[in-house]
Amino acid sequence: MNNENSILKKLQKSQEYFIYYLFFLVVCRSIGPYSLINPRFDQIIFGIGAIYGFLLIAAEFIMVVLKNKKSTYNLWLIIFLIGLFLSILFNYKFALFSNLKLLVWQAIYLLVVFQVGKDNIHSDKIIKTLSNLLIIVWTILTTISLGMFLFRFSYAVHLTNRARFLRIGFFDARLFGVFEDPNFSSTISVVVILLIAYSLRIKKGKLQSFLSYLAIIFQLAYIQLSGSRTGLIVLLLSIFVLSFSMFLNLDFWIKKKYLYKWLGSLFSALMIVILSYFLLEAFKYILSLLPSVLFKEEHRILKDIPKKDGGKISLERSDVENNSDASNGRLGLWKSGFELFKTNILFGTSPKGIFEYAKEVLPTTFIARTQKYTHNTYVNIITSTGLVGSIPIFFFFIKSFFMVITKAYGKANLFFKNNYGMNAQIVLAIAASAFFLNDIVMVNSVGSLIFWLFLGRNYYLSKNETI
């Protein structure tokens, strides 16, 4: 028994180190200039990560089979992985090797990352450490990005290993900064704001509090300058949920009827969101003036950044302002995804084979012509894996949503206990962004890592309400 406990402790410690290593990997890929490094380096470090994660899964399997350790894997996630494998097998002639690599990584996220949050005895410590690392790293990256905006730095280059230009700094009226994609990075900025906001509930020293508020301002500035409508929607949603939860827990409602309590909290939270939107727009206007106010014209690193009246830098995206399609092509991609799904309802196209499949089966569809993914995680799941993959994963998502809601606001009232509400809000923020981005599943990203780790932690807290 002691030997088994010793092995289990070593396994859990190895899982902890893996989470930190995976964090390093996904942060690297979120940085734009990282693409300038020899792709061989990326292949090596991710290859090491894949082997590391696979060995952890194998070790867990051995513990279950040989040591009679009880398996705690979620059945619906296992069925999803089986469905994903069947989709890849059925579509074997489309990007088979890439799909198999994706399958390994998806298994790592569901059978290692999610399990660490749910079962690892060090999960609370792991999440705290990871949260602090994310706050520090993301604040440094956004600070550098804001500096690029102030100095009006812009750089673009076409790389042979990618379809689109690599854009760094302030480009096309958007602040890419040092990030690969402003939509993904602005979503993580919202996550960082939430982490800091909840940490401020604990008493801090004056310097630490000042730096925390300054970090929040920097994240808000990046979200506004990034021009990401996804980031803004996720931010306002997060403000709404936090405001609603705080109003709902006020002592004011003790003698009020249950219906008044909920309606009053909903209305108050809505007013906070509306006010926040206008304050953010005013903040955005002030930010657009800063480069001209702080630095003279000769300090500009790029000379062709569009400006408006009074030296104000234009933050109006040409691809949005001059586009009759408010979705900026997303509706067309979603429609195209469903068209592809209809051609193979059971198994889909396979995740990495979607472009090849579209070219062969429906060459005139929007995805085939643009070579763009669906820009919606949930549509992508349906299109890529068909019913064999989408049914189990959607069932898991729905079940998880209701579990979190009932535990957070039901009799247990866990929202403000043991960071349950913080975890729930962060998971919700990433899940909401997934309506406009390909994240959470079948990707290697900061958002996916945080989503599965924090959701796993809430599964643990839901099971152990008294902790």
Side-chain angles (χ1 to χ4, degrees), residues 37-322:
I37 298 173
N38 191 320
R40 189 68 181 164
F41 174 75
D42 179 78
Q43 293 170 5
I44 291 171
I45 62 173
F46 271 84
I48 293 170
I51 294 169
Y52 191 172
F54 180 78
L55 289 175
L56 290 175
I57 295 173
E60 181 78 16
F61 180 76
I62 291 169
M63 290 284 290
V64 171
V65 174
L66 299 182
K67 302 294 184 180
N68 294 319
K69 178 180 178 291
K70 184 181 178 182
S71 174
T72 59
Y73 289 137
N74 186 282
L75 178 61
W76 292 104
L77 296 182
I78 296 293
I79 296 173
F80 169 68
L81 288 173
I82 294 171
L84 180 57
F85 175 71
L86 291 174
S87 173
I88 293 169
L89 198 63
F90 186 86
N91 295 285
Y92 68 92
K93 63 179 182 177
F94 302 115
L96 178 62
F97 184 65
S98 296
N99 275 322
L100 290 175
K101 285 198 299 183
L102 180 144
L103 177 63
V104 171
W105 274 109
Q106 189 59 69
I108 289 170
Y109 276 95
L110 302 186
L111 306 183
V112 178
V113 177
F114 178 68
Q115 289 299 121
V116 167
K118 189 165 73 75
D119 293 330
N120 195 299
I121 58 173
H122 305 294
S123 63
D124 186 43
K125 174 200 164 190
I126 294 170
I127 285 178
K128 284 179 181 176
T129 303
L130 195 74
S131 298
N132 290 330
L133 283 172
L134 182 63
I135 290 170
I136 294 168
V137 170
W138 220 253
T139 300
I140 291 171
L141 294 176
T142 50
T143 302
I144 295 170
S145 299
L146 292 173
M148 289 178 171
F149 172 73
L150 292 176
F151 284 101
R152 289 164 279 196
F153 173 81
S154 179
Y155 176 77
V157 62
H158 187 269
L159 301 177
T160 56
N161 61 337
R162 52 186 288 153
R164 295 185 301 170
F165 275 84
L166 167 65
R167 291 164 287 186
I168 301 173
F170 188 71
F171 203 89
D172 286 342
R174 303 185 69 180
L175 181 58
F176 287 77
V178 298
F179 297 107
E180 170 71 20
D181 187 309
N183 291 313
F184 284 98
S185 52
S186 61
T187 298
I188 302 303
S189 287
V190 176
V191 170
V192 171
I193 289 170
L194 288 170
L195 289 171
I196 297 173
Y198 277 92
S199 72
L200 286 169
R201 293 170 59 87
I202 302 170
K203 192 173 181 180
K204 299 176 181 291
K206 289 184 179 179
L207 178 60
Q208 194 175 3
S209 295
F210 170 76
L211 292 175
S212 295
Y213 285 115
L214 187 63
I216 289 177
I217 292 171
F218 280 11
Q219 301 304 325
L220 289 172
Y222 178 77
I223 292 167
Q224 288 298 84
L225 292 173
S226 72
S228 172
R229 292 176 294 175
T230 298
L232 181 59
I233 290 170
V234 172
L235 175 61
L236 293 174
L237 175 64
S238 299
I239 291 172
F240 175 83
V241 174
L242 181 58
S243 301
F244 169 75
S245 302
M246 292 177 69
F247 283 122
L248 199 65
N249 281 272
L250 291 176
D251 292 338
F252 171 79
W253 302 110
I254 291 175
K255 295 183 180 180
K256 304 292 182 182
K257 290 184 178 179
Y258 192 77
L259 180 62
Y260 292 160
K261 174 181 177 179
W262 277 77
L263 290 178
S265 298
L266 284 169
F267 179 77
S268 301
L270 185 61
M271 292 298 102
I272 294 293
V273 168
I274 294 171
L275 177 62
S276 297
Y277 173 78
F278 287 108
L279 289 175
L280 286 167
E281 286 299 298
F283 184 44
K284 185 176 181 178
Y285 178 80
I286 293 170
L287 289 169
S288 69
L289 298 172
L290 287 181
S292 298
V293 171
L294 295 177
F295 300 102
K296 295 180 180 179
E297 190 71 13
E298 57 265 27
H299 291 153
R300 293 174 65 190
I301 297 176
L302 186 72
K303 297 180 180 180
D304 58 351
I305 291 180
K307 294 196 302 179
K308 280 198 159 185
D309 51 288
K312 172 180 170 289
I313 288 182
S314 173
L315 297 176
E316 294 181 1
R317 291 171 52 185
S318 58
D319 61 332
V320 173
E321 298 297 325
N322 302 321

